């Protein structure tokens, strides 16, 4: 059974930093993609960052230069380092993984939540001004 468990969320002031972690288990293969999404109240879930098995990364424009996605394969952890946080970054952040059963263009993975097969329960990030 695949499980993704996020941690590290919290409340910070504008300009602060947080590092989210995602502990994953039950995967019998290496996912082609792992990534982070977020959902603010009243808004659709949006892609934040993706990490391809090759190491290639992709970020949504609002977080470029501020967020960094990385992975520790030995510890089965996915990270999202978030710096220079802004109030508009406030959302529930979700870790996600693909099942490798299909392949799509790289840009599709950050823009289409429906392509992702496994999700964590989410962790709240609140940034105050």
């Amino acid at each position: 059974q695949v499980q993704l468990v996020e941690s590290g969320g919290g409340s910070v002031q504008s300009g602060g930093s947080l590092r989210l972690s995602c502990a994953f288990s039950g995967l019998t293969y290496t996912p082609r993609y792992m990534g982070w999404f977020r959902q603010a109240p009243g808004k659709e879930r949006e892609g934040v960052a993706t990490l391809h098995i090759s190491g290639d990364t992709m970020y949504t424009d609002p977080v470029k230069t501020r967020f960094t996605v990385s992975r520790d394969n030995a510890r089965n952890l996915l990270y999202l380092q978030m710096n220079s946080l802004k109030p508009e970054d406030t959302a529930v952040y979700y870790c996600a993984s693909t099942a490798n059963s299909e392949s799509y263009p790289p840009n599709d993975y950050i823009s289409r939540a429906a392509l992702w097969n496994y999700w964590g329960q989410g962790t709240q990030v609140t940034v105050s001004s």
Side-chain angles (χ1 to χ4, degrees):
Q1 181 180 359
V2 176
Q3 282 192 318
L4 304 173
V5 180
E6 302 95 337
S7 61
S11 297
V12 295
Q13 290 191 331
S14 183
S17 298
L18 284 173
R19 188 178 78 160
L20 305 183
S21 299
C22 172
F24 53 91
S25 61
L27 293 167
T28 59
Y29 58 90
T30 301
R32 184 175 294 118
Y33 281 95
M34 295 198 74
W36 291 93
F37 283 72
R38 66 186 181 186
Q39 189 166 18
K43 295 188 177 181
E44 293 188 355
R45 191 169 297 190
E46 64 170 349
V48 175
T50 64
L51 176 60
H52 187 259
I53 192 173
S54 67
D56 289 345
T57 57
M58 187 170 292
Y59 299 91
T60 188
D61 284 346
V63 310
K64 284 180 180 177
T65 74
R66 301 189 295 122
F67 290 11
T68 303
V69 59
S70 62
R71 177 174 174 168
D72 184 336
N73 289 324
R75 299 175 62 192
N76 285 355
L77 289 170
L78 182 74
Y79 299 108
L80 184 67
Q81 178 66 45
M82 305 185 295
N83 298 327
S84 302
L85 283 161
K86 304 176 181 180
E88 51 263 43
D89 295 318
T90 295
V92 177
Y93 284 71
Y94 297 91
C95 171
S97 172
T98 60
N100 291 3
S101 55
E102 297 175 311
S103 182
Y104 299 91
N107 285 347
D108 283 10
Y109 286 95
I110 202 164
S111 60
R112 297 172 61 188
L115 299 186
W116 297 75
N117 303 96
Y118 302 107
W119 294 87
Q121 83 289 349
T123 186
Q124 176 71 45
V125 171
T126 302
V127 185
S128 58
S129 57

